[in-house]
Amino acid sequence: MKRLIQLLVILLVALPWSAWPSTPNESRGSLVRVRASIQPYDQFRPWQKKSPFGLSGTGVVLSRGRVLVTASLVANRTEVGLEKPGSAEKCAAEVEAIDYEANLALLKPTDDQFLKGFSGVSLGTSLKAGDTAEVWQLERNGEMLRNQAEILSAGVGRYPSDEAGFLVYGVRVSLPKRDDSYTLPLMRNGQLSGMLMAYDRDSQEGTAIPVPMIEHFLKDSSDGKYEGFPTLGVSWSPLRDPNLREEVKAPSDGGILLMRVNPIGTAGRAGLKEGDVLLTVDGFRLDEDGNYRDPLYGPTSIGNLVRTRPYVGAIAKFRISRNGDEMELTGNYDRRARDEVAIPTLQFDLAPRYLILGGLVFQELSGAYLQEWGEKWPERAPQRLVQLFSFQQEMKLDPKKKIVFLSQVLPSATTAGYQHLSGLVLSGCNGTTVGSLEELASIADSTTSGDLVFEFMDDPKKLVLDAAEVKSGGDKLGKAYGIPALRKL
Amino acid sequence: MYRILVFALALTLVGCGRDGQLREARRNVVMVEVTSQTWDYRLPWNPGTVSSARGAGFVISGKRILTNAHVISGARYITVQREADPRKYPAHVKFVAHDCDLAMIEVEEPGFFKGTTALPLGDIPELESVVSVYGFPIGGDRLSVTRGVVSRIDYNSYTHSGRESHLAIQIDAAINPGNSGGPVMQEDKVVGVAFQGFRGDVAQNVGYMIPTPVIRRFLKDVEDGRYDHYVDIAIRWMTLENPAMRKYLGRPNDGRGVVVTDIFSEGSSDGILRKGDVLLSIDGHPIESDGSVRLQGQPVQLEEIVERKFAGDPVELEVWRDKKMERVTLKLRPAEMFSMYEILYEPPPRYVLYGGLVFQPLTANLMAVLSGSADLRLRQTYTLFGQDQLYRETPEPVVLSFILPDPLNVYLRGMAGQLVREINGRRIRALSDVEPALRAGGERSVIRFEGDQRPAVLKKSEVDLAMPRIMTQYGISETSRSDSDGRRLAKGTYPRTESK
């Protein structure tokens, strides 16, 4: 009985804090519902799209009439609409800037009067572990629910569409189930502190994109030319092991060991090399585990130092030890190591390219194609494709050349005997190397009679089609399989 | 892909209804009880876990007993028993062929064979003809017989070795664990050895037997006192059904021939066949465009011609090359480049222990214990080893398979599962390279891996101090087992495990 009373007391006290209906004024000024119609491309049938579905989230109205959401809310969209809380007033919106790595998108209403009367929110300061904030949710009637949240951690962690990691908040918050919760703002003192991007109802923990990421994204996009977050283009190892330190002649403490340096990346062009010990970046000293001391967050991974903080084009200063000799190297932050690759990691909003010749379906390899094989794609997808994608840097694939591969064969009289083939990487056609679908198309188009000889990396090394038959049979093939176009380049 | 589970089939004859057959079976079918030891590749220095199992066997001419390899693999003690004699006689393995799952065992005591008559071998039975399966499957201790018909005659994988496919005959008689090694009989002749089936939740009434061509091949192979491996033509080929492809190769549309797409170096065809060759006949048998040949009127894969041959035997091929006919002869040899995929049973696992770091060659057995923790690079190396002919560069990839925790290697934890590239500047191409490389170099040993993993660095003086401690701690008596014997054994000679 006594326990029950205690419990009641706690509930009575806690409730007003955790879910305090705000004044209608506040929500009118800061939040809108965002409804997105999503229809992803079908990588296995690149001429068609998959079933559409809808997502709805909560967007944050910024002071200059733009709405901030997570990028995953509007990935592969066919349409995006805004809706005022408390009324059914709607307006279409377009995506003004989007960054899938940083998981942020900026929406612009097509009617510039739509957000008139919204005061918008401004960006707050960054939070650290132990700080408290609020997650705002919209009730159906437009009222706002404010749920108290605790920042558990602020450090570098994984984002849904990024491999290396950015600064992320770990958040504990108890969220009631509501519509429009795909994206929710994290607020403190009426200012935006972050965007909740993932939440687990069982553990009541989630992750939020912190304000420095948002700030970077907004500043970058403000000039209309979005450049994105820079990257060093290195892989590294901690240098805690005293034996390893001795072997690489590292100084008495600090620093990390560079295991691979992409020559076209920020570090590579500044002159850093494999085997160097990286001691400081822009004056920040790195410890043996690759952490620097952040004035706000304390020890934080180098990822934040080189990816969130600087902008593309900014000067990058490195202090390294090479064979025991210390030296300073200078370069410019860029993201070429990420962008200039033979096989792109993720592709959203882009229709997969393909070329169908007589029933042989050719595509360009991408991370999106491999992920179509499901969560276990490294085991399930054709192993040659997995190998090229996963080890493209060490295999030194030319970033200017795409990997063209035979993804499947549509059985027809022309492709008789080939129907079981798939996942074969094309090396050339009629004796010419092929580095893109366009190149393959131009060889095929210019061959009007005789043979089309396709050469592959793996067995069978060669396939032959009759060029005239490929040309004449195209319409029939398209009709038989209901494929509207035999190519999309 | 269904996983076919191997189980021991003990056959009891229930009844093909012929008294003569039943009488013969009762005389010649033996129960084989085996205590075996299985190596643990996680703890390669240990003698392994002991287990017991029961299978079947049967007496053939010359007081020889045939059974399955999987019944006796890793055997430490074998006894055989006949229905007519309650005594259990010790037996030992004379020959074992893991690649076709057959073994011959011997009993020294001549009294054992009193009353046996030796079962004769028959031919491939007709489809839908009735056969009887004899053995000692679960469900009782006495001889059991089940009956069924021949459902299918085709190539199938022999799961015991993990990599081989040979002719196998599917029957619909109930075959259960304990049936393995028992004879499948038609009239008074043995037409197969029961050896594997599907688990009940996968398929019903599907059992497989090893047909007599495979058995005869085994018996002939061991005539010289040892068993050699199957031989392989070691090429890849593609069917030649596409008219444009045929025209390109200059072949008429006559439904004949397959095209060679790859030749494995160091294999039987290396230097003899070429990519793009069209194979038109093999030992005089015309090859159809789907890769089949006719053998005694039955369509079979062209490899069946090679299957029945032995190391050193010639194969004659009619080849269409550069738009001309040619005749080539190749000498068959085993496809050793694929031995990595063969599950090893007898040879003790090889390893090198250094400062708590365990180095092992990449084998099917090691992959089985690493499966969950193997990273993409290791899995890809394993998968592509044959296909990409990685063996030419690295005949035997070496893996840092495990790390036994010790203060010495505290900073190296989590590095297990990497492929070793070089040690102290020396390229590692086989396990036998590891120990000499570790002795080379200066005061530190530097172990580098494939990929962008950092090197492992150990001070030699510290390793020397730590080794006795680690070996005591983990109960290891030898720092390595890397003699070349292991490799030879892997290719099929059998070490006598019994003193007689």
Side-chain angles (χ1 to χ4, degrees):
Chain A
M1 192 62 199
K2 205 174 172 187
R3 269 185 78 112
L4 188 66
I5 292 169
Q6 272 178 351
L7 197 68
L8 282 173
V9 171
I10 292 164
L11 280 176
L12 283 174
V13 177
L15 198 64
W17 281 101
S18 63
W20 190 249
S22 68
T23 60
N25 185 34
E26 215 170 1
S27 64
R28 254 207 307 279
S30 50
L31 302 185
V32 288
R33 298 182 205 278
V34 181
R35 306 213 190 278
S37 306
I38 308 296
Q39 195 177 15
Y41 290 94
D42 188 338
Q43 299 284 344
F44 288 165
R45 282 155 290 265
W47 47 85
Q48 67 187 43
K49 285 181 136 191
K50 292 187 193 170
S51 323
F53 57 92
L55 286 177
S56 60
T58 304
V60 181
V61 180
L62 301 175
S63 41
R64 56 193 178 93
R66 298 290 185 272
V67 175
L68 185 70
V69 291
T70 56
S72 44
L73 175 65
V74 294
N76 296 316
R77 66 207 163 266
T78 51
E79 200 223 340
V80 183
L82 307 178
E83 193 180 299
K84 286 187 183 169
S87 81
E89 204 181 332
K90 294 181 177 68
C91 175
E94 54 196 42
V95 173
E96 191 175 68
I98 190 159
D99 188 326
Y100 289 105
E101 282 173 16
N103 199 12
L104 287 169
L106 199 57
L107 309 180
K108 181 187 166 194
T110 49
D111 174 4
D112 54 12
Q113 297 300 303
F114 183 72
L115 293 176
K116 208 174 170 192
F118 279 75
S119 55
V121 299
S122 54
L123 298 190
T125 53
S126 190
L127 307 177
K128 59 181 188 305
D131 284 349
T132 53
E134 288 169 348
V135 173
W136 288 6
Q137 275 177 297
L138 284 174
E139 290 282 20
R140 203 163 284 211
N141 62 4
E143 294 289 294
M144 203 160 57
L145 269 178
R146 294 158 55 160
N147 310 284
Q148 191 162 341
E150 187 192 346
I151 308 299
L152 300 174
S153 62
V156 172
R158 287 290 295 271
Y159 276 47
S161 304
D162 182 72
E163 307 156 317
F166 286 112
L167 192 67
V168 68
Y169 295 150
V171 181
R172 182 185 292 138
V173 59
S174 169
L175 289 179
K177 202 170 173 176
R178 291 290 179 276
D179 296 340
D180 316 322
S181 292
Y182 197 82
T183 297
L184 292 173
L186 182 71
M187 308 291 290
R188 181 177 157 100
N189 300 330
Q191 291 182 310
L192 184 66
S193 289
M195 300 286 283
L196 202 65
M197 63 172 166
Y199 180 67
D200 174 37
R201 213 166 277 285
D202 294 333
S203 65
Q204 305 213 327
E205 287 181 17
T207 54
I209 307 165
V211 71
M213 291 290 293
I214 298 170
E215 220 171 344
H216 189 134
F217 171 72
L218 293 176
K219 197 170 162 196
D220 190 343
S221 58
S222 63
D223 60 358
K225 179 172 165 266
Y226 188 74
E227 287 175 293
F229 289 73
T231 176
L232 270 195
V234 302
S235 64
W236 55 272
S237 155
L239 257 182
R240 277 269 165 220
D241 183 349
N243 288 333
L244 182 60
R245 296 192 72 85
E246 229 175 283
E247 176 66 21
V248 300
K249 300 196 180 87
S252 57
D253 62 348
I256 54 175
L257 181 62
L258 299 184
M259 296 308 302
R260 175 165 294 126
V261 180
N262 185 333
I264 64 168
T266 303
R269 282 183 309 106
L272 278 76
K273 288 190 166 61
E274 186 185 309
D276 287 350
V277 179
L278 181 55
L279 298 169
T280 73
V281 176
D282 298 339
F284 289 94
R285 186 185 164 277
L286 297 174
D287 70 12
E288 296 85 343
D289 301 315
N291 294 324
Y292 73 103
R293 185 156 286 279
D294 188 277
L296 181 62
Y297 314 115
T300 305
S301 164
I302 178 178
N304 189 49
L305 186 61
V306 298
R307 297 193 71 201
T308 313
R309 195 186 48 93
Y311 289 80
V312 166
I315 289 176
K317 285 189 170 157
F318 306 100
R319 183 165 184 80
I320 61 157
S321 158
R322 181 176 293 165
N323 270 319
D325 301 329
E326 293 196 18
M327 56 185 88
E328 304 267 352
L329 295 168
T330 306
N332 289 89
Y333 283 107
D334 68 20
R335 41 177 296 117
R336 287 179 58 188
R338 186 60 59 91
D339 292 339
E340 295 176 24
V341 291
I343 310 169
T345 308
L346 283 166
Q347 282 173 316
F348 296 98
D349 315 329
L350 282 176
R353 290 143 49 86
Y354 65 92
L355 173 63
I356 303 176
L357 295 173
L360 307 184
V361 182
F362 293 96
Q363 289 178 253
E364 283 174 0
L365 184 56
S366 68
Y369 173 82
L370 290 171
Q371 287 201 342
E372 199 81 295
W373 289 84
E375 222 165 280
K376 288 194 159 177
W377 66 265
E379 285 159 50
R380 292 207 178 129
Q383 285 302 294
R384 181 70 63 209
L385 304 184
V386 173
Q387 180 190 41
L388 289 168
F389 176 74
S390 307
F391 305 123
Q392 55 177 314
Q393 254 206 62
E394 70 178 87
M395 294 172 90
K396 297 195 164 55
L397 298 188
D398 182 349
K400 291 185 198 74
K401 289 197 170 140
K402 301 295 163 215
I403 302 294
V404 177
F405 70 103
L406 176 70
S407 59
Q408 58 183 302
V409 177
L410 305 172
S412 70
T414 311
T415 55
Y418 299 159
Q419 60 277 358
H420 58 284
L421 300 171
S422 66
L424 295 174
V425 175
L426 188 75
S427 49
C429 182
N430 282 359
T432 312
T433 57
V434 169
S436 69
L437 283 176
E438 283 90 347
E439 287 176 21
L440 179 59
S442 87
I443 297 171
D445 292 346
S446 62
T447 312
T448 49
S449 64
D451 294 324
L452 273 176
V453 183
F454 301 92
E455 290 124 40
F456 297 95
M457 273 176 74
D458 287 297
D459 289 341
K461 300 280 183 326
K462 261 184 202 173
L463 291 183
V464 182
L465 293 182
D466 183 284
E469 217 174 291
V470 168
K471 280 218 157 36
S472 63
D475 286 348
K476 202 176 144 201
L477 183 80
K479 256 191 211 123
Y481 286 91
I483 298 171
L486 294 180
R487 64 177 66 183
K488 186 186 287 159
L489 300 175
Chain B
M1 174 80 190
Y2 299 105
R3 173 141 177 82
I4 301 178
L5 275 207
V6 178
F7 40 68
L9 305 172
L11 289 188
T12 6
L13 159 55
V14 204
C16 73
R18 301 193 140 241
D19 289 350
Q21 183 194 78
L22 179 59
R23 194 176 57 239
E24 283 302 296
R26 295 184 102 141
R27 280 178 180 164
N28 294 299
V29 177
V30 301
M31 185 195 283
V32 183
E33 286 176 292
V34 180
T35 302
S36 58
Q37 216 164 7
T38 316
W39 298 107
D40 183 355
Y41 277 68
R42 226 179 283 273
L43 302 163
W45 41 83
N46 279 0
T49 44
V50 177
S51 60
S52 294
R54 182 176 75 189
F58 56 98
V59 179
I60 57 166
S61 60
K63 301 204 164 150
R64 299 173 295 176
I65 300 169
L66 270 186
T67 184
N68 282 141
H70 76 258
V71 170
I72 53 82
S73 58
R76 297 294 177 265
Y77 185 68
I78 305 173
T79 59
V80 292
Q81 188 184 12
R82 291 174 51 222
E83 214 193 19
D85 187 346
R87 275 178 294 174
K88 291 184 177 178
Y89 292 83
H92 67 257
V93 176
K94 179 83 172 158
F95 299 109
V96 61
H98 292 292
D99 55 358
C100 60
D101 203 357
L102 286 172
M104 191 190 293
I105 51 181
E106 271 186 344
V107 178
E108 303 270 324
E109 173 89 46
F112 173 77
F113 292 98
K114 203 177 152 206
T116 63
T117 52
L119 294 175
L121 293 182
D123 290 318
I124 294 178
E126 295 289 320
L127 274 178
E128 226 192 328
S129 63
V130 176
V131 293
S132 302
V133 181
Y134 295 81
F136 301 90
I138 47 171
D141 290 328
R142 303 290 304 274
L143 184 70
S144 128
V145 189
T146 53
R147 202 160 90 157
V149 299
V150 174
S151 318
R152 179 152 46 189
I153 304 169
D154 199 1
Y155 259 68
N156 220 306
S157 68
Y158 278 43
T159 55
H160 175 64
S161 82
R163 69 166 258 221
E164 301 280 335
S165 285
H166 305 294
L167 197 65
I169 293 179
Q170 184 187 322
I171 53 179
D172 74 347
I175 289 185
N176 286 302
N179 272 122
S180 282
V184 180
M185 296 189 69
Q186 192 165 63
E187 296 179 347
D188 54 355
K189 284 185 175 153
V190 173
V191 291
V193 177
F195 78 122
Q196 64 188 26
F198 283 102
R199 237 172 30 193
D201 56 353
V202 176
Q204 317 266 297
N205 297 332
V206 177
Y208 292 93
M209 65 177 193
I210 302 170
T212 48
V214 178
I215 301 171
R216 286 208 170 88
R217 187 195 181 283
F218 168 70
L219 294 176
K220 183 155 183 227
D221 191 318
V222 300
E223 274 172 9
D224 62 356
R226 55 173 263 171
Y227 180 74
D228 303 306
H229 206 282
Y230 261 78
V231 287
D232 199 311
I233 192 166
I235 58 167
R236 283 168 177 264
W237 51 265
M238 186 177 84
T239 61
L240 204 39
E241 294 160 58
N242 191 279
M245 185 75 152
R246 298 194 67 93
K247 199 170 134 238
Y248 173 77
L249 294 166
R251 292 302 307 160
N253 228 341
D254 60 358
R256 261 187 78 188
V258 295
V259 63
V260 176
T261 59
D262 212 352
I263 292 134
F264 291 97
S265 71
E266 297 164 32
S268 308
S269 308
D270 191 7
I272 296 166
L273 289 178
R274 293 186 205 154
K275 286 176 205 174
D277 281 355
V278 178
L279 305 182
L280 293 171
S281 76
I282 179 162
D283 277 358
H285 302 274
I287 299 171
E288 308 292 332
S289 65
D290 65 352
S292 66
V293 295
R294 294 244 155 207
L295 215 53
Q296 284 127 35
Q298 297 287 325
V300 289
Q301 288 257 87
L302 67 93
E303 280 87 354
E304 182 62 22
I305 303 289
V306 175
E307 282 276 304
R308 304 186 178 191
K309 299 196 174 214
F310 299 89
D313 284 356
V315 171
E316 264 197 35
L317 290 159
E318 219 178 340
V319 169
W320 178 255
R321 175 184 295 170
D322 302 329
K323 319 241 153 129
K324 283 199 300 283
M325 282 297 243
E326 283 188 36
R327 274 180 186 281
V328 299
T329 304
L330 49 87
K331 249 192 175 165
L332 290 169
R333 57 179 107 143
E336 291 184 4
M337 54 288 228
F338 295 120
S339 57
M340 181 197 271
Y341 302 117
E342 201 171 296
I343 302 165
L344 302 177
Y345 292 96
E346 319 302 348
R350 294 175 300 131
Y351 67 93
V352 171
L353 176 71
Y354 187 75
L357 278 57
V358 183
F359 299 96
Q360 286 178 267
L362 184 55
T363 55
N365 303 55
L366 182 65
M367 281 307 281
V369 298
L370 287 178
S371 60
S373 56
D375 72 353
L376 182 63
R377 183 182 307 277
L378 189 59
R379 274 193 288 116
Q380 282 231 322
T381 304
Y382 182 72
T383 312
L384 300 174
F385 185 76
Q387 185 185 336
D388 282 4
Q389 309 198 9
L390 303 179
Y391 54 87
R392 289 192 294 189
E393 171 72 10
T394 311
E396 184 181 73
V398 173
V399 185
L400 168 58
S401 51
F402 303 100
I403 296 177
L404 307 178
D406 181 86
L408 176 76
N409 54 43
V410 69
Y411 285 110
L412 305 180
R413 314 267 164 87
M415 293 184 75
Q418 301 289 317
L419 277 164
V420 179
R421 188 176 63 223
E422 56 177 55
I423 295 178
N424 293 331
R426 296 189 180 193
R427 185 81 174 73
I428 302 299
R429 292 193 167 82
L431 188 70
S432 52
D433 294 339
V434 170
E435 282 181 294
L438 284 168
R439 283 193 293 268
E443 59 187 48
R444 282 188 299 273
S445 277
V446 182
I447 300 148
R448 294 188 188 276
F449 304 94
E450 297 293 350
D452 50 11
Q453 175 71 270
R454 70 160 175 111
V457 183
L458 289 165
K459 281 209 177 79
K460 286 181 181 165
S461 55
E462 290 177 5
V463 174
D464 291 344
L465 280 175
M467 281 301 271
R469 174 176 75 213
I470 291 170
M471 292 174 74
T472 311
Q473 194 78 23
Y474 290 93
I476 305 167
S477 53
E478 299 292 333
T479 56
S480 71
R481 190 194 287 130
S482 67
D483 51 311
S484 56
D485 247 27
R487 225 173 135 68
R488 191 170 52 74
L489 290 173
K491 301 218 168 94
T493 5
Y494 189 81
R496 287 281 286 259
T497 53
E498 313 262 320
S499 52
K500 286 193 159 188

